[in-house]
Amino acid sequence: MLCIMIVCCSSIDAEASEYGEDANVFKRLIEQQYQSQETEEGKAEAIQQFFIDRILYMGYQPTKLPFYNTSSEANDSDISMNLVFQRGGLSENVIVLEACYRENAVGAAVLLELANQLASQKELPYTVQFLLTDKTSEQGSEQYLSQLTQEQKSHLIGVVSFDTVQEQSGIKVLKSANDQWLFYQIQSIAKQLKVSFLTGQTLLSIWEENEIPQVKIIISDVYSQMRNAAMLMDAWIGNANENNAAAVISQQYVQNHSEKLQINEPMFYGISVQKAVKAIIVLAATACLLVACFQLEFQRRKRKKQH
C-alpha cells in the first residue's frame, strides 16, 4: 500500500487578500485553462499544471497521486491524477479540504483561496490537508483513501468538500450521518459571523463508509457566496476543537483577522453594510461636488452672456 509523504509549507510569499477576491480570480483563471486547449488531454495537462504552479507559488509542496480511471467512459490507458498538499498544525490529527479540480472551478477556487489564507497564519489547531481530486470527487476520494495506511486514516477526523451548482440563492451545507462535532462547529461559527446557509439531505459517501465525518459546502459562482464560504471555513479551521460540540471564535483570532472579519456587523448579500454605507457616502459626496461644479460653471457662463 502506498504511503503518502507530504511536505508542509515552509515559506510563503503569496499575500492573502480579502475573502472571496482570490477565489474569484482563481475561478476565471481555471476556466481560461479549459478554453485554451481543444483536446481533453490538453485540458487535463493545462489544468494540472496550473494548480501545481499555484500550489508551489504559495509555498506548498504538492504530491501527485496517479490512478487509473475506472469510469465506464474510460479506456485502459486513461490515467487520472489527484493532487495533495498540506499545512502543518499543532495536532497530528488531520482535517481534509476537498474539491474536484475538473468541472468544479468554483469549489477548487475556494480551496485554493483557503490554502493561501491558511499558509500565512502562524498556528493552526489541526493539520490541514488539501485534496484536489481528478474526475469525479467520489472516485478521486476513493482512490485517495485506498492509498492511505490504517494509521494515516486514523488521523483523519473530518472532511469538508466543496462543490458548485449554478444559480443557487445561498450557500447550502450537507452533512454525513456520522457528522459528530463537525457540522455543529461549522454551524456555530456561521452564527457568529452571521453567515446563513441552507441544509439538505444526509450525505452518503466513501468518507461515511470509512466512518470519517464529512460536510459538503455547495456554492454558486456569486462573489458573496465564495466570500462567505472562504470566511466561514477560515474562521472555523482557526478555532476548531473536536472535543466540543460548538466552536467559539477567540479574541486572538479576531485580533489577527480584524480587517477581514465582520463579526457582529450587519450584512447585505455577503457585504458589510458599514462598508456599503461608506461607499454610498463617498459616491454621494462626489456627486454633490460635481453638481456644485456644474452650478458654478453654469452661473459663470450666465453672467458672461449678460455682459
Side-chain angles (χ1 to χ4, degrees), residues 210-275:
N210 283 266
E211 298 183 347
I212 301 169
Q214 181 192 14
V215 164
K216 179 177 283 190
I217 296 180
I218 305 173
I219 52 179
S220 71
D221 59 358
V222 178
Y223 172 77
S224 61
Q225 291 188 34
M226 288 188 281
R227 179 193 178 281
N228 283 345
M231 179 173 66
L232 171 61
M233 294 312 303
D234 188 28
W236 169 66
I237 290 169
N239 296 275
N241 187 340
E242 63 183 307
N243 297 316
N244 295 332
V248 177
I249 299 178
S250 68
Q251 288 302 312
Q252 183 64 43
Y253 188 88
V254 174
Q255 243 179 1
N256 295 339
H257 298 76
S258 58
E259 293 183 2
K260 292 182 293 181
L261 292 175
Q262 280 105 33
I263 297 177
N264 298 324
E265 285 190 24
M267 306 292 288
F268 183 73
Y269 286 98
I271 301 172
S272 166
V273 170
Q274 186 178 358
K275 287 184 178 180

Short mmCIF file of all heavy atoms in Angstrom, two decimals, residues 210-275:
data_model
loop_
_atom_site.label_atom_id
_atom_site.label_comp_id
_atom_site.label_asym_id
_atom_site.label_seq_id
_atom_site.Cartn_x
_atom_site.Cartn_y
_atom_site.Cartn_z
N ASN A 210 -16.13 4.99 5.56
CA ASN A 210 -14.91 4.82 6.36
C ASN A 210 -15.01 5.48 7.73
O ASN A 210 -14.00 5.65 8.41
CB ASN A 210 -13.71 5.40 5.60
CG ASN A 210 -13.23 4.51 4.48
OD1 ASN A 210 -12.32 3.69 4.66
ND2 ASN A 210 -13.84 4.63 3.32
N GLU A 211 -16.25 5.85 8.12
CA GLU A 211 -16.54 6.44 9.43
C GLU A 211 -15.77 7.74 9.67
O GLU A 211 -15.33 8.02 10.79
CB GLU A 211 -16.27 5.43 10.54
CG GLU A 211 -17.16 4.19 10.44
CD GLU A 211 -16.94 3.23 11.60
OE1 GLU A 211 -15.94 3.39 12.34
OE2 GLU A 211 -17.77 2.32 11.78
N ILE A 212 -15.60 8.52 8.61
CA ILE A 212 -14.95 9.82 8.71
C ILE A 212 -16.02 10.89 8.50
O ILE A 212 -16.66 10.93 7.45
CB ILE A 212 -13.84 9.97 7.66
CG1 ILE A 212 -12.78 8.89 7.85
CG2 ILE A 212 -13.20 11.37 7.75
CD1 ILE A 212 -11.78 8.79 6.72
N PRO A 213 -16.28 11.75 9.47
CA PRO A 213 -17.32 12.78 9.34
C PRO A 213 -17.06 13.67 8.12
O PRO A 213 -15.91 14.03 7.84
CB PRO A 213 -17.20 13.58 10.63
CG PRO A 213 -16.52 12.68 11.59
CD PRO A 213 -15.61 11.82 10.78
N GLN A 214 -18.13 14.01 7.42
CA GLN A 214 -18.00 14.85 6.23
C GLN A 214 -19.08 15.92 6.19
O GLN A 214 -20.22 15.69 6.56
CB GLN A 214 -18.09 14.01 4.95
CG GLN A 214 -17.92 14.84 3.67
CD GLN A 214 -18.30 14.07 2.42
OE1 GLN A 214 -18.94 13.01 2.49
NE2 GLN A 214 -17.93 14.58 1.27
N VAL A 215 -18.69 17.10 5.74
CA VAL A 215 -19.63 18.18 5.44
C VAL A 215 -19.34 18.63 4.02
O VAL A 215 -18.17 18.78 3.64
CB VAL A 215 -19.46 19.37 6.43
CG1 VAL A 215 -20.13 20.62 5.89
CG2 VAL A 215 -20.06 19.01 7.77
N LYS A 216 -20.39 18.83 3.23
CA LYS A 216 -20.21 19.33 1.86
C LYS A 216 -20.81 20.73 1.77
O LYS A 216 -21.97 20.95 2.12
CB LYS A 216 -20.89 18.41 0.84
CG LYS A 216 -20.75 18.93 -0.60
CD LYS A 216 -21.37 17.96 -1.61
CE LYS A 216 -20.47 16.78 -1.84
NZ LYS A 216 -20.94 15.95 -3.00
N ILE A 217 -20.00 21.68 1.30
CA ILE A 217 -20.44 23.06 1.13
C ILE A 217 -20.64 23.31 -0.36
O ILE A 217 -19.70 23.20 -1.15
CB ILE A 217 -19.42 24.04 1.73
CG1 ILE A 217 -19.33 23.82 3.24
CG2 ILE A 217 -19.80 25.48 1.42
CD1 ILE A 217 -18.36 24.73 3.94
N ILE A 218 -21.88 23.65 -0.72
CA ILE A 218 -22.22 23.87 -2.13
C ILE A 218 -22.49 25.35 -2.35
O ILE A 218 -23.30 25.96 -1.66
CB ILE A 218 -23.46 23.04 -2.53
CG1 ILE A 218 -23.24 21.55 -2.19
CG2 ILE A 218 -23.78 23.21 -4.01
CD1 ILE A 218 -24.46 20.69 -2.39
N ILE A 219 -21.79 25.93 -3.32
CA ILE A 219 -21.92 27.35 -3.61
C ILE A 219 -22.02 27.56 -5.12
O ILE A 219 -21.63 26.71 -5.91
CB ILE A 219 -20.72 28.16 -3.05
CG1 ILE A 219 -19.41 27.55 -3.54
CG2 ILE A 219 -20.76 28.24 -1.56
CD1 ILE A 219 -18.18 28.27 -3.07
N SER A 220 -22.53 28.72 -5.51
CA SER A 220 -22.54 29.09 -6.92
C SER A 220 -21.39 30.06 -7.16
O SER A 220 -20.60 30.34 -6.27
CB SER A 220 -23.88 29.74 -7.29
OG SER A 220 -23.98 31.03 -6.70
N ASP A 221 -21.28 30.58 -8.39
CA ASP A 221 -20.16 31.46 -8.71
C ASP A 221 -20.42 32.92 -8.33
O ASP A 221 -19.72 33.82 -8.78
CB ASP A 221 -19.81 31.37 -10.20
CG ASP A 221 -20.97 31.74 -11.10
OD1 ASP A 221 -22.06 32.04 -10.57
OD2 ASP A 221 -20.79 31.72 -12.33
N VAL A 222 -21.43 33.16 -7.49
CA VAL A 222 -21.70 34.51 -7.00
C VAL A 222 -20.60 34.90 -6.01
O VAL A 222 -20.25 34.12 -5.13
CB VAL A 222 -23.08 34.57 -6.30
CG1 VAL A 222 -23.34 35.96 -5.74
CG2 VAL A 222 -24.18 34.19 -7.28
N TYR A 223 -20.06 36.10 -6.15
CA TYR A 223 -18.93 36.54 -5.32
C TYR A 223 -19.24 36.43 -3.84
O TYR A 223 -18.41 35.97 -3.05
CB TYR A 223 -18.55 37.98 -5.68
CG TYR A 223 -17.53 38.56 -4.73
CD1 TYR A 223 -16.18 38.20 -4.82
CD2 TYR A 223 -17.91 39.44 -3.72
CE1 TYR A 223 -15.25 38.72 -3.93
CE2 TYR A 223 -16.98 39.96 -2.84
CZ TYR A 223 -15.66 39.60 -2.95
OH TYR A 223 -14.74 40.10 -2.06
N SER A 224 -20.43 36.88 -3.42
CA SER A 224 -20.76 36.89 -1.99
C SER A 224 -20.76 35.47 -1.41
O SER A 224 -20.38 35.26 -0.25
CB SER A 224 -22.11 37.55 -1.75
OG SER A 224 -23.15 36.85 -2.40
N GLN A 225 -21.15 34.47 -2.21
CA GLN A 225 -21.15 33.09 -1.72
C GLN A 225 -19.72 32.57 -1.58
O GLN A 225 -19.39 31.88 -0.61
CB GLN A 225 -21.96 32.20 -2.65
CG GLN A 225 -23.46 32.48 -2.62
CD GLN A 225 -24.26 31.46 -3.40
OE1 GLN A 225 -23.91 30.28 -3.46
NE2 GLN A 225 -25.34 31.90 -4.02
N MET A 226 -18.86 32.89 -2.54
CA MET A 226 -17.46 32.48 -2.44
C MET A 226 -16.81 33.16 -1.24
O MET A 226 -16.03 32.55 -0.51
CB MET A 226 -16.71 32.83 -3.73
CG MET A 226 -17.08 31.96 -4.91
SD MET A 226 -16.02 32.22 -6.35
CE MET A 226 -16.72 33.74 -6.99
N ARG A 227 -17.14 34.43 -1.03
CA ARG A 227 -16.58 35.18 0.09
C ARG A 227 -17.02 34.57 1.42
O ARG A 227 -16.20 34.33 2.31
CB ARG A 227 -17.04 36.64 0.03
CG ARG A 227 -16.53 37.48 1.17
CD ARG A 227 -17.25 38.81 1.25
NE ARG A 227 -16.75 39.56 2.39
CZ ARG A 227 -17.12 39.35 3.65
NH1 ARG A 227 -18.00 38.40 3.93
NH2 ARG A 227 -16.61 40.06 4.63
N ASN A 228 -18.32 34.31 1.56
CA ASN A 228 -18.83 33.76 2.82
C ASN A 228 -18.29 32.37 3.10
O ASN A 228 -17.98 32.03 4.24
CB ASN A 228 -20.35 33.73 2.78
CG ASN A 228 -20.96 35.10 3.02
OD1 ASN A 228 -20.28 36.02 3.47
ND2 ASN A 228 -22.23 35.26 2.71
N ALA A 229 -18.16 31.55 2.05
CA ALA A 229 -17.63 30.19 2.22
C ALA A 229 -16.18 30.24 2.69
O ALA A 229 -15.78 29.51 3.61
CB ALA A 229 -17.75 29.41 0.92
N ALA A 230 -15.37 31.10 2.06
CA ALA A 230 -13.95 31.21 2.44
C ALA A 230 -13.80 31.76 3.86
O ALA A 230 -12.99 31.26 4.65
CB ALA A 230 -13.21 32.09 1.43
N MET A 231 -14.57 32.80 4.19
CA MET A 231 -14.50 33.39 5.53
C MET A 231 -14.95 32.39 6.59
O MET A 231 -14.31 32.24 7.64
CB MET A 231 -15.38 34.64 5.59
CG MET A 231 -15.38 35.32 6.96
SD MET A 231 -16.26 36.90 6.98
CE MET A 231 -17.95 36.35 6.66
N LEU A 232 -16.05 31.68 6.32
CA LEU A 232 -16.58 30.70 7.26
C LEU A 232 -15.57 29.60 7.55
O LEU A 232 -15.31 29.26 8.71
CB LEU A 232 -17.87 30.11 6.68
CG LEU A 232 -18.49 28.91 7.41
CD1 LEU A 232 -18.87 29.29 8.83
CD2 LEU A 232 -19.71 28.41 6.65
N MET A 233 -14.97 29.04 6.49
CA MET A 233 -14.04 27.94 6.68
C MET A 233 -12.73 28.38 7.33
O MET A 233 -12.16 27.69 8.16
CB MET A 233 -13.76 27.26 5.34
CG MET A 233 -14.97 26.55 4.74
SD MET A 233 -15.83 25.49 5.95
CE MET A 233 -14.50 24.42 6.47
N ASP A 234 -12.25 29.55 6.95
CA ASP A 234 -11.03 30.07 7.55
C ASP A 234 -11.20 30.27 9.05
O ASP A 234 -10.34 29.89 9.85
CB ASP A 234 -10.65 31.39 6.87
CG ASP A 234 -9.27 31.88 7.30
OD1 ASP A 234 -8.42 31.04 7.65
OD2 ASP A 234 -9.05 33.10 7.28
N ALA A 235 -12.33 30.88 9.43
CA ALA A 235 -12.60 31.12 10.85
C ALA A 235 -12.79 29.81 11.61
O ALA A 235 -12.31 29.65 12.74
CB ALA A 235 -13.83 32.00 11.02
N TRP A 236 -13.49 28.83 10.99
CA TRP A 236 -13.71 27.57 11.69
C TRP A 236 -12.40 26.80 11.88
O TRP A 236 -12.11 26.33 12.98
CB TRP A 236 -14.70 26.68 10.92
CG TRP A 236 -14.73 25.30 11.49
CD1 TRP A 236 -15.18 24.93 12.73
CD2 TRP A 236 -14.23 24.11 10.88
NE1 TRP A 236 -14.99 23.58 12.91
CE2 TRP A 236 -14.42 23.05 11.80
CE3 TRP A 236 -13.65 23.83 9.63
CZ2 TRP A 236 -14.04 21.75 11.51
CZ3 TRP A 236 -13.29 22.53 9.35
CH2 TRP A 236 -13.48 21.51 10.28
N ILE A 237 -11.60 26.69 10.83
CA ILE A 237 -10.35 25.94 10.93
C ILE A 237 -9.43 26.55 11.98
O ILE A 237 -8.75 25.85 12.72
CB ILE A 237 -9.65 25.87 9.56
CG1 ILE A 237 -10.45 24.97 8.61
CG2 ILE A 237 -8.22 25.35 9.68
CD1 ILE A 237 -10.02 25.04 7.18
N GLY A 238 -9.45 27.89 12.08
CA GLY A 238 -8.61 28.56 13.07
C GLY A 238 -9.09 28.38 14.50
O GLY A 238 -8.36 28.67 15.45
N ASN A 239 -10.33 27.90 14.67
CA ASN A 239 -10.92 27.75 16.01
C ASN A 239 -11.52 26.37 16.25
O ASN A 239 -12.29 26.18 17.19
CB ASN A 239 -12.00 28.82 16.22
CG ASN A 239 -11.44 30.22 16.20
OD1 ASN A 239 -10.96 30.73 17.20
ND2 ASN A 239 -11.49 30.87 15.03
N ALA A 240 -11.19 25.40 15.41
CA ALA A 240 -11.78 24.06 15.51
C ALA A 240 -11.30 23.33 16.77
O ALA A 240 -10.17 23.49 17.21
CB ALA A 240 -11.42 23.24 14.27
N ASN A 241 -12.20 22.52 17.33
CA ASN A 241 -11.87 21.70 18.50
C ASN A 241 -12.78 20.49 18.50
O ASN A 241 -13.97 20.59 18.80
CB ASN A 241 -12.04 22.50 19.79
CG ASN A 241 -11.55 21.73 21.02
OD1 ASN A 241 -11.42 20.51 21.01
ND2 ASN A 241 -11.27 22.47 22.08
N GLU A 242 -12.23 19.33 18.18
CA GLU A 242 -13.04 18.12 18.02
C GLU A 242 -13.69 17.65 19.33
O GLU A 242 -14.58 16.81 19.31
CB GLU A 242 -12.20 16.99 17.44
CG GLU A 242 -11.05 16.57 18.34
CD GLU A 242 -10.18 15.50 17.71
OE1 GLU A 242 -10.74 14.47 17.29
OE2 GLU A 242 -8.96 15.69 17.66
N ASN A 243 -13.25 18.19 20.45
CA ASN A 243 -13.80 17.77 21.74
C ASN A 243 -15.01 18.58 22.17
O ASN A 243 -15.59 18.33 23.22
CB ASN A 243 -12.70 17.86 22.81
CG ASN A 243 -11.54 16.93 22.53
OD1 ASN A 243 -11.75 15.77 22.17
ND2 ASN A 243 -10.32 17.43 22.66
N ASN A 244 -15.38 19.60 21.38
CA ASN A 244 -16.52 20.44 21.73
C ASN A 244 -17.61 20.34 20.67
O ASN A 244 -17.34 20.11 19.49
CB ASN A 244 -16.09 21.91 21.86
CG ASN A 244 -15.13 22.13 23.02
OD1 ASN A 244 -15.17 21.39 23.99
ND2 ASN A 244 -14.27 23.13 22.90
N ALA A 245 -18.84 20.53 21.12
CA ALA A 245 -19.98 20.48 20.18
C ALA A 245 -20.14 21.78 19.42
O ALA A 245 -20.83 21.84 18.41
CB ALA A 245 -21.26 20.16 20.95
N ALA A 246 -19.51 22.85 19.89
CA ALA A 246 -19.60 24.15 19.22
C ALA A 246 -18.22 24.81 19.25
O ALA A 246 -17.39 24.48 20.09
CB ALA A 246 -20.63 25.05 19.89
N ALA A 247 -18.00 25.71 18.32
CA ALA A 247 -16.72 26.43 18.26
C ALA A 247 -16.96 27.90 18.56
O ALA A 247 -17.98 28.45 18.20
CB ALA A 247 -16.08 26.26 16.89
N VAL A 248 -16.00 28.51 19.24
CA VAL A 248 -16.09 29.93 19.57
C VAL A 248 -14.89 30.64 18.97
O VAL A 248 -13.74 30.21 19.17
CB VAL A 248 -16.12 30.14 21.10
CG1 VAL A 248 -16.15 31.63 21.42
CG2 VAL A 248 -17.32 29.44 21.71
N ILE A 249 -15.14 31.72 18.25
CA ILE A 249 -14.04 32.48 17.65
C ILE A 249 -13.31 33.22 18.76
O ILE A 249 -13.90 34.03 19.48
CB ILE A 249 -14.57 33.47 16.60
CG1 ILE A 249 -15.28 32.71 15.48
CG2 ILE A 249 -13.43 34.30 16.02
CD1 ILE A 249 -15.88 33.59 14.42
N SER A 250 -12.04 32.93 18.91
CA SER A 250 -11.25 33.52 20.01
C SER A 250 -10.96 34.99 19.73
O SER A 250 -10.93 35.44 18.59
CB SER A 250 -9.94 32.76 20.18
OG SER A 250 -9.09 32.98 19.06
N GLN A 251 -10.72 35.74 20.82
CA GLN A 251 -10.37 37.15 20.69
C GLN A 251 -9.05 37.31 19.94
O GLN A 251 -8.87 38.27 19.19
CB GLN A 251 -10.27 37.79 22.08
CG GLN A 251 -11.61 37.98 22.77
CD GLN A 251 -12.57 38.84 21.93
OE1 GLN A 251 -12.22 39.89 21.43
NE2 GLN A 251 -13.80 38.36 21.80
N GLN A 252 -8.13 36.37 20.16
CA GLN A 252 -6.85 36.42 19.46
C GLN A 252 -7.04 36.29 17.96
O GLN A 252 -6.42 37.00 17.17
CB GLN A 252 -5.93 35.31 19.97
CG GLN A 252 -4.53 35.30 19.36
CD GLN A 252 -3.73 36.54 19.70
OE1 GLN A 252 -3.76 36.99 20.85
NE2 GLN A 252 -3.05 37.12 18.73
N TYR A 253 -7.94 35.39 17.58
CA TYR A 253 -8.22 35.20 16.15
C TYR A 253 -8.86 36.46 15.56
O TYR A 253 -8.51 36.89 14.46
CB TYR A 253 -9.15 33.99 15.95
CG TYR A 253 -9.33 33.62 14.50
CD1 TYR A 253 -8.44 32.75 13.88
CD2 TYR A 253 -10.35 34.17 13.74
CE1 TYR A 253 -8.58 32.42 12.54
CE2 TYR A 253 -10.50 33.84 12.40
CZ TYR A 253 -9.62 32.97 11.82
OH TYR A 253 -9.75 32.66 10.49
N VAL A 254 -9.79 37.05 16.29
CA VAL A 254 -10.44 38.28 15.82
C VAL A 254 -9.40 39.38 15.66
O VAL A 254 -9.42 40.14 14.68
CB VAL A 254 -11.55 38.72 16.80
CG1 VAL A 254 -12.11 40.08 16.39
CG2 VAL A 254 -12.67 37.69 16.83
N GLN A 255 -8.48 39.47 16.61
CA GLN A 255 -7.42 40.49 16.54
C GLN A 255 -6.59 40.32 15.29
O GLN A 255 -6.28 41.29 14.60
CB GLN A 255 -6.51 40.37 17.77
CG GLN A 255 -6.54 41.61 18.64
CD GLN A 255 -5.63 41.43 19.86
OE1 GLN A 255 -4.97 40.42 20.04
NE2 GLN A 255 -5.61 42.42 20.70
N ASN A 256 -6.22 39.07 14.99
CA ASN A 256 -5.36 38.80 13.84
C ASN A 256 -6.08 38.95 12.51
O ASN A 256 -5.43 39.07 11.47
CB ASN A 256 -4.78 37.38 13.95
CG ASN A 256 -3.86 37.23 15.14
OD1 ASN A 256 -3.35 38.21 15.67
ND2 ASN A 256 -3.66 36.00 15.59
N HIS A 257 -7.42 38.91 12.54
CA HIS A 257 -8.19 38.95 11.29
C HIS A 257 -9.20 40.09 11.28
O HIS A 257 -10.18 40.06 10.54
CB HIS A 257 -8.93 37.62 11.08
CG HIS A 257 -8.02 36.44 10.94
ND1 HIS A 257 -7.39 35.88 12.03
CD2 HIS A 257 -7.63 35.72 9.87
CE1 HIS A 257 -6.65 34.85 11.62
NE2 HIS A 257 -6.78 34.74 10.31
N SER A 258 -8.95 41.11 12.09
CA SER A 258 -9.94 42.17 12.26
C SER A 258 -10.27 42.91 10.97
O SER A 258 -11.38 43.41 10.79
CB SER A 258 -9.45 43.18 13.31
OG SER A 258 -8.19 43.71 12.92
N GLU A 259 -9.31 42.99 10.06
CA GLU A 259 -9.55 43.72 8.82
C GLU A 259 -10.46 42.96 7.86
O GLU A 259 -11.07 43.56 6.97
CB GLU A 259 -8.23 44.04 8.12
CG GLU A 259 -7.37 45.03 8.89
CD GLU A 259 -6.10 45.39 8.16
OE1 GLU A 259 -5.92 44.90 7.03
OE2 GLU A 259 -5.29 46.15 8.71
N LYS A 260 -10.53 41.64 8.02
CA LYS A 260 -11.32 40.84 7.08
C LYS A 260 -12.62 40.30 7.67
O LYS A 260 -13.59 40.09 6.95
CB LYS A 260 -10.48 39.67 6.57
CG LYS A 260 -9.33 40.09 5.68
CD LYS A 260 -8.57 38.89 5.16
CE LYS A 260 -7.86 38.16 6.27
NZ LYS A 260 -7.08 37.00 5.78
N LEU A 261 -12.63 40.08 8.99
CA LEU A 261 -13.84 39.56 9.62
C LEU A 261 -14.80 40.69 9.96
O LEU A 261 -14.38 41.76 10.38
CB LEU A 261 -13.49 38.80 10.90
CG LEU A 261 -12.72 37.49 10.74
CD1 LEU A 261 -12.36 36.94 12.09
CD2 LEU A 261 -13.54 36.48 9.95
N GLN A 262 -16.10 40.43 9.80
CA GLN A 262 -17.10 41.43 10.17
C GLN A 262 -18.05 40.85 11.22
O GLN A 262 -19.25 40.77 11.02
CB GLN A 262 -17.90 41.88 8.94
CG GLN A 262 -17.18 42.90 8.10
CD GLN A 262 -16.62 42.30 6.83
OE1 GLN A 262 -17.21 41.40 6.28
NE2 GLN A 262 -15.51 42.80 6.37
N ILE A 263 -17.48 40.41 12.33
CA ILE A 263 -18.30 39.83 13.39
C ILE A 263 -19.20 40.91 13.98
O ILE A 263 -18.77 42.02 14.27
CB ILE A 263 -17.40 39.22 14.48
CG1 ILE A 263 -16.59 38.07 13.88
CG2 ILE A 263 -18.22 38.73 15.66
CD1 ILE A 263 -15.63 37.44 14.83
N ASN A 264 -20.46 40.55 14.14
CA ASN A 264 -21.49 41.44 14.69
C ASN A 264 -21.82 42.63 13.78
O ASN A 264 -22.54 43.53 14.19
CB ASN A 264 -21.09 41.97 16.07
CG ASN A 264 -20.91 40.86 17.07
OD1 ASN A 264 -21.64 39.88 17.03
ND2 ASN A 264 -19.94 41.00 17.96
N GLU A 265 -21.31 42.64 12.57
CA GLU A 265 -21.67 43.69 11.62
C GLU A 265 -22.85 43.22 10.80
O GLU A 265 -22.89 42.07 10.36
CB GLU A 265 -20.51 44.01 10.68
CG GLU A 265 -19.40 44.81 11.32
CD GLU A 265 -18.40 45.29 10.29
OE1 GLU A 265 -18.78 45.41 9.11
OE2 GLU A 265 -17.25 45.55 10.66
N PRO A 266 -23.85 44.08 10.55
CA PRO A 266 -24.95 43.69 9.68
C PRO A 266 -24.46 43.48 8.25
O PRO A 266 -23.60 44.22 7.77
CB PRO A 266 -25.92 44.88 9.76
CG PRO A 266 -25.08 46.03 10.22
CD PRO A 266 -24.01 45.44 11.08
N MET A 267 -24.96 42.44 7.60
CA MET A 267 -24.52 42.10 6.25
C MET A 267 -25.69 42.18 5.27
O MET A 267 -26.83 41.98 5.63
CB MET A 267 -23.93 40.68 6.22
CG MET A 267 -22.82 40.43 7.24
SD MET A 267 -21.32 41.36 6.89
CE MET A 267 -20.74 40.46 5.46
N PHE A 268 -25.37 42.48 4.02
CA PHE A 268 -26.36 42.51 2.95
C PHE A 268 -25.77 41.80 1.74
O PHE A 268 -24.83 42.30 1.13
CB PHE A 268 -26.73 43.95 2.59
CG PHE A 268 -27.81 44.06 1.54
CD1 PHE A 268 -29.12 43.77 1.84
CD2 PHE A 268 -27.48 44.46 0.24
CE1 PHE A 268 -30.11 43.87 0.87
CE2 PHE A 268 -28.46 44.56 -0.72
CZ PHE A 268 -29.78 44.27 -0.41
N TYR A 269 -26.32 40.60 1.43
CA TYR A 269 -25.80 39.78 0.34
C TYR A 269 -24.30 39.54 0.49
O TYR A 269 -23.53 39.61 -0.47
CB TYR A 269 -26.09 40.41 -1.02
CG TYR A 269 -27.54 40.28 -1.43
CD1 TYR A 269 -28.42 41.34 -1.24
CD2 TYR A 269 -28.02 39.10 -1.97
CE1 TYR A 269 -29.76 41.22 -1.59
CE2 TYR A 269 -29.35 38.97 -2.33
CZ TYR A 269 -30.22 40.03 -2.14
OH TYR A 269 -31.54 39.90 -2.50
N GLY A 270 -23.86 39.27 1.72
CA GLY A 270 -22.47 38.93 1.97
C GLY A 270 -21.52 40.11 2.03
O GLY A 270 -20.32 39.95 2.17
N ILE A 271 -22.06 41.35 1.97
CA ILE A 271 -21.23 42.54 2.01
C ILE A 271 -21.56 43.34 3.27
O ILE A 271 -22.73 43.50 3.62
CB ILE A 271 -21.44 43.42 0.76
CG1 ILE A 271 -21.10 42.61 -0.50
CG2 ILE A 271 -20.60 44.69 0.82
CD1 ILE A 271 -21.47 43.30 -1.78
N SER A 272 -20.54 43.82 3.95
CA SER A 272 -20.74 44.60 5.17
C SER A 272 -21.56 45.84 4.87
O SER A 272 -21.23 46.62 3.98
CB SER A 272 -19.38 45.00 5.75
OG SER A 272 -19.53 46.00 6.73
N VAL A 273 -22.65 46.04 5.65
CA VAL A 273 -23.49 47.23 5.47
C VAL A 273 -22.68 48.49 5.76
O VAL A 273 -22.84 49.52 5.09
CB VAL A 273 -24.73 47.15 6.38
CG1 VAL A 273 -25.49 48.48 6.39
CG2 VAL A 273 -25.65 46.02 5.94
N GLN A 274 -21.79 48.40 6.75
CA GLN A 274 -20.95 49.55 7.09
C GLN A 274 -20.10 49.98 5.90
O GLN A 274 -19.98 51.17 5.61
CB GLN A 274 -20.06 49.20 8.29
CG GLN A 274 -19.25 50.39 8.80
CD GLN A 274 -18.42 50.02 10.02
OE1 GLN A 274 -18.47 48.90 10.49
NE2 GLN A 274 -17.65 50.96 10.51
N LYS A 275 -19.49 48.99 5.22
CA LYS A 275 -18.67 49.32 4.06
C LYS A 275 -19.53 49.88 2.93
O LYS A 275 -19.13 50.80 2.22
CB LYS A 275 -17.91 48.08 3.57
CG LYS A 275 -16.77 47.67 4.47
CD LYS A 275 -16.00 46.51 3.88
CE LYS A 275 -14.81 46.14 4.75
NZ LYS A 275 -14.04 45.00 4.20
#
